[in-house]
Amino acid sequence: MLKVYRNLKGYIPHICAIVVLIFIQVLTDLYLPTLMSDIVNTGIMKNDVSFIIHEGGLMLGVAGIGIACAILASLIGSRVSIGLGSILRSKIFRQIERFSLREFDQFGSSTLVTRTTNDIVQIQTVTVLIINMMLRAPLTAIGGIILAYRQDSSLTLIFAVALPALVIVVALIMTRAIPLFKKVQGKLDKINLVLRENLTGIRVIRAFNRINHEEKRFDTASNDLTSTYIRVNQIMAFLMPVLMLLMNAMQIAIIWFGSTRVDTGSLNIGALSAFIQYASLILINFIMMSMMFIFIPRAQAAAERVTEVLEVKPDIVDPESPQKSVTGNGYLEFRNVSFRYNGAERSALTGVSFLAKPGETTAIIGSTGSGKSTLANLIPRFYDVENGEILIDGVDIRKMTQENLRSRIGFVPQKAILFTGTIKDNMRYGRENATDEEIIHAAQVAQASDFVGEMKNGYDTLLSEGGLNLSGGQKQRLSIARALVRRPEIYVFDDSFSALDFKTDAKLRAALSNETENSTVLIVAQRVGTVMSADRIIVLDEGTVAGIGKHEELMKTCEVYREIVSSQLSEEELA
Ligand code: ADP
Ligand code: MG
């Protein structure tokens, strides 16, 4: 919690202002009962109307100042806590942007979303409370006790009974309620999970007729949350009546013992009425303080979740003295590279070595799960190698800045991702200053110009969220065009042709070979047809290199490759 509040540095003047305002407000709160006692003693008892009007006006004025201070303090307080929220949100966002994929895997995207939204809202809400109560409640309570003591010291003994009773009641209720409050958070997470799975899996759920099942699952989670909430509220419902009872009992006690003292003449009525008011002030502020104890643990949990994200040291960082890219053409080399995913038992890649030269096409083939995408993801440093090294033009990629490294790579991921915006906007993700001609040319090479031309607004057509209004193959072609716009030294195509029919696949690769004449091209594929004509084929088998060579060589020497080829040929012949 404290770590989170370190972000409030820029708000120190605001906080000072709040402290002053609250201080004034506490003083007015404490002053009012004294004025009241004067009115009772001098005005009412002696029937002095002008004194009542004069003193009453003063009371109104003092109360007005108090109210103004309270309103101003809570306005500034809201501004501070909202400011804190926005600082935290942008910090988390920036931090997540720097995460390597390893750190993403570690958290999972759904909790990163709740941490950026829900948890920060929790912190914000509690901060408002803390700002308003932290100072006001104890100051008023202590001031009240002192002033009450000055009115009548023996009546103060009543507090010695009432306050411990109050603490016990609140403690009893809280020890039951706080664990339930914590459970509520977990159950909310559960509902979020079910909901999210439903939204992303809607097609599967419909296709497999699982709607009823999903409804039940949601109802279970929802009922669970409801019943916990009801139990929390049943317990909390006790709080107010019990506290009111205590307060009234205390006032009766004060009047009871106070009136005997008035009879004997050792206490005047004004002092008694002031005393009663102090007593309620003290009690109310004790209640406020105990309320804070409910909310702080909830915010504490949220703050821990937020700092957990903020304190991750991203393991992929730029070197202190980065090596400038020596002039080269994108000569890519893997030297004995091994890699293992977080918590995985088996290495995803073991001792992979190969060369990919500019002007040549290097293909990687292997069955699903053989580590092809893993290998592709290592090149732009989405993950760092565990052993060995990856070199571009003889420089270890860990010695370059990430920006420099990635500017040299045109990466087409296995899952085509497009962003909300026009097709042109999406193409300019490849290179911001690309001209319209370059974009159109790239689309032609990627065999995307035909279907884009058929769209009503051509290249200015708006793509909805992630390109929902496109087919898988269309998205793949646009994402290939986006990499082409970049004109990088190294192209990495991770299974980027899988959603294309054989004819488009062949046409695209033919057009591509002209375009990428001087670049290093790495094509990951599962289809033999896609890789057959490559200058070099690397066969991956369970993370190890089973063979490297041209198609004809591998047919002779590599058993794994022969198996892949024969399985696919028979499939195609059957088709
Ligand atoms: P391919 O692209 O050849 O189908 P991948 O490189 O995607 O294979 O996966 C290789 C292996 O690594 C698989 O066994 C897979 O289960 C595992 N794997 C892939 N991604 C992750 C990940 N993010 N975390 C843990 N294991 C992973
Ligand atoms: Mg893959």
Side-chain angles (χ1 to χ4, degrees):
M1 200 79 178
L2 284 178
K3 279 183 194 146
V4 166
Y5 284 139
R6 265 188 225 144
N7 291 302
L8 282 175
K9 270 191 202 113
Y11 284 98
I12 289 173
H14 294 73
I15 293 169
C16 292
I18 293 173
V19 169
V20 173
L21 287 169
I22 287 181
F23 211 76
I24 298 174
Q25 200 233 326
V26 169
L27 287 181
T28 61
D29 269 359
L30 292 175
Y31 185 41
L32 283 172
T34 333
L35 282 175
M36 172 84 163
S37 128
D38 283 351
I39 292 187
V40 173
N41 280 344
T42 322
I44 298 176
M45 300 296 276
K46 297 189 180 135
N47 221 347
D48 183 344
V49 178
S50 74
F51 183 83
I52 294 180
I53 291 173
H54 178 256
E55 269 324 72
L58 188 61
M59 266 185 97
L60 274 180
V62 172
I65 293 174
I67 291 170
C69 286
I71 292 175
L72 214 59
S74 82
L75 277 181
I76 303 176
S78 321
R79 182 158 293 185
V80 171
S81 67
I82 287 170
L84 176 67
S86 92
I87 289 173
L88 288 177
R89 262 192 295 273
S90 77
K91 269 202 167 174
I92 289 207
F93 187 78
R94 297 219 148 68
Q95 171 79 344
I96 294 175
E97 292 273 280
R98 292 192 298 145
F99 272 9
S100 72
L101 294 193
R102 183 192 289 276
E103 282 124 18
F104 265 110
D105 294 349
Q106 189 188 326
F107 282 101
S109 60
S110 56
T111 101
L112 289 176
V113 171
T114 33
R115 284 172 206 226
T116 322
T117 52
N118 189 37
D119 284 342
I120 290 182
V121 170
Q122 293 271 356
I123 295 174
Q124 232 169 255
T125 324
V126 173
T127 305
V128 176
L129 267 177
I130 289 182
I131 288 175
N132 283 306
M133 293 300 153
M134 192 73 134
L135 201 59
R136 178 178 299 155
L139 269 185
T140 318
I142 293 168
I145 291 176
I146 293 171
L147 290 175
Y149 184 81
R150 279 183 39 188
Q151 297 285 352
D152 192 287
S153 52
S154 52
L155 276 185
T156 347
L157 283 178
I158 291 172
F159 296 146
V161 181
L163 292 184
L166 177 86
V167 170
I168 289 170
V169 169
V170 171
L172 270 181
I173 290 178
M174 290 311 150
T175 46
R176 272 177 206 154
I178 288 177
L180 287 178
F181 271 127
K182 287 203 172 141
K183 271 194 200 154
V184 164
Q185 305 280 85
K187 299 196 170 173
L188 262 176
D189 277 353
K190 185 78 196 288
I191 287 205
N192 283 343
L193 180 90
V194 176
L195 193 61
R196 192 169 295 121
E197 282 188 358
N198 260 277
L199 292 177
T200 47
I202 190 89
R203 288 177 186 78
V204 180
I205 293 166
R206 298 263 156 96
F208 287 90
N209 277 327
R210 299 296 279 176
I211 294 179
N212 285 338
H213 173 261
E214 287 299 310
E215 275 172 3
K216 270 197 210 109
R217 207 155 80 101
F218 186 81
D219 286 347
T220 318
S222 172
N223 290 339
D224 203 17
L225 179 69
T226 313
S227 67
T228 316
Y229 258 132
I230 289 178
R231 261 196 298 151
V232 168
N233 283 306
Q234 277 169 345
I235 294 172
M236 294 305 284
F238 271 101
L239 191 63
M240 269 302 143
V242 172
L243 290 178
M244 290 317 279
L245 188 72
L246 249 172
M247 189 134 119
N248 289 324
M250 191 177 74
Q251 286 185 350
I252 290 171
I254 292 171
I255 292 170
W256 186 314
F257 294 110
S259 58
T260 56
R261 291 174 59 74
V262 171
D263 276 347
T264 60
S266 46
L267 184 71
N268 60 45
I269 297 201
L272 181 61
S273 71
F275 197 94
I276 291 174
Q277 288 203 1
Y278 283 129
S280 356
L281 260 187
I282 295 164
L283 217 63
I284 288 171
N285 281 286
F286 258 85
I287 295 168
M288 292 297 182
M289 279 194 274
S290 49
M291 285 297 180
M292 284 203 335
F293 289 109
I294 314 177
F295 289 106
I296 288 179
R298 291 172 80 181
Q300 179 75 33
E304 271 162 24
R305 280 158 56 107
V306 169
T307 35
E308 205 183 345
V309 177
L310 290 180
E311 281 183 347
V312 171
K313 293 237 176 329
D315 53 20
I316 294 191
V317 287
D318 287 340
E320 303 232 327
S321 47
Q323 249 166 293
K324 264 275 162 227
S325 55
V326 225
T327 43
N329 311 316
Y331 194 96
L332 175 72
E333 182 178 359
F334 271 57
R335 260 190 216 156
N336 204 15
V337 169
S338 299
F339 177 79
R340 183 200 304 267
Y341 283 103
N342 247 3
E345 278 175 25
R346 224 163 45 90
S347 290
L349 291 176
T350 332
V352 174
S353 300
F354 68 87
L355 270 175
K357 295 179 193 157
E360 291 186 355
T361 299
T362 306
I364 295 171
I365 194 167
S367 53
T368 19
S370 57
K372 304 185 297 295
S373 296
T374 309
L375 188 154
N377 285 336
L378 290 178
I379 301 171
R381 273 190 95 192
F382 293 155
Y383 296 95
D384 261 348
V385 298
E386 193 178 14
N387 281 311
E389 50 191 346
I390 300 173
L391 308 150
I392 292 180
D393 296 328
V395 179
D396 191 317
I397 56 170
R398 284 169 295 188
K399 296 208 172 103
M400 308 174 186
T401 61
Q402 294 166 66
E403 172 148 22
N404 177 250
L405 167 67
R406 289 172 191 161
S407 71
R408 304 171 72 178
I409 301 172
F411 191 84
V412 186
Q414 179 160 12
K415 189 164 186 279
I417 304 280
L418 299 167
F419 294 89
T420 308
T422 64
I423 292 183
K424 263 187 202 160
D425 293 340
N426 270 286
M427 295 298 104
R428 291 207 168 99
Y429 259 81
R431 187 153 50 88
E432 263 172 68
N433 54 5
T435 62
D436 285 1
E437 287 72 41
E438 286 172 318
I439 289 175
I440 293 169
H441 177 69
Q444 278 163 350
V445 175
Q447 309 299 311
S449 54
D450 287 350
F451 75 84
V452 174
E454 279 165 23
M455 291 177 169
K456 214 166 77 203
N457 297 318
Y459 289 88
D460 290 314
T461 307
L462 208 61
L463 299 183
S464 58
E465 197 184 336
L468 273 183
N469 42 358
L470 296 174
S471 80
Q474 289 172 330
K475 276 194 273 191
Q476 270 194 343
R477 277 175 276 174
L478 286 181
S479 112
I480 291 169
R482 175 174 59 198
L484 288 170
V485 165
R486 196 175 187 109
R487 307 204 143 279
E489 294 160 18
I490 301 173
Y491 286 95
V492 180
F493 298 99
D494 184 1
D495 245 337
S496 317
F497 309 108
S498 58
L500 306 181
D501 53 90
F502 287 96
K503 209 172 115 205
T504 318
D505 181 1
K507 263 163 73 183
L508 200 156
R509 274 182 296 111
L512 207 58
S513 64
N514 294 326
E515 197 64 14
T516 58
E517 248 171 357
N518 303 315
S519 312
T520 305
V521 179
L522 206 67
I523 293 183
V524 171
Q526 301 205 40
R527 267 192 227 143
V528 175
T530 315
V531 303
M532 222 152 66
S533 57
D535 300 294
R536 192 176 299 102
I537 303 171
I538 296 160
V539 186
L540 273 190
D541 183 34
E542 300 197 343
T544 56
V545 177
I548 298 185
K550 281 184 182 289
H551 175 72
E552 295 77 22
E553 290 163 24
L554 288 172
M555 282 306 280
K556 285 191 206 114
T557 57
C558 183
E559 178 61 31
V560 181
Y561 188 70
R562 259 202 309 271
E563 267 171 31
I564 297 174
V565 172
S566 64
S567 71
Q568 290 192 12
L569 282 185
S570 52
E571 258 176 37
E572 278 159 35
E573 278 160 6
L574 283 175

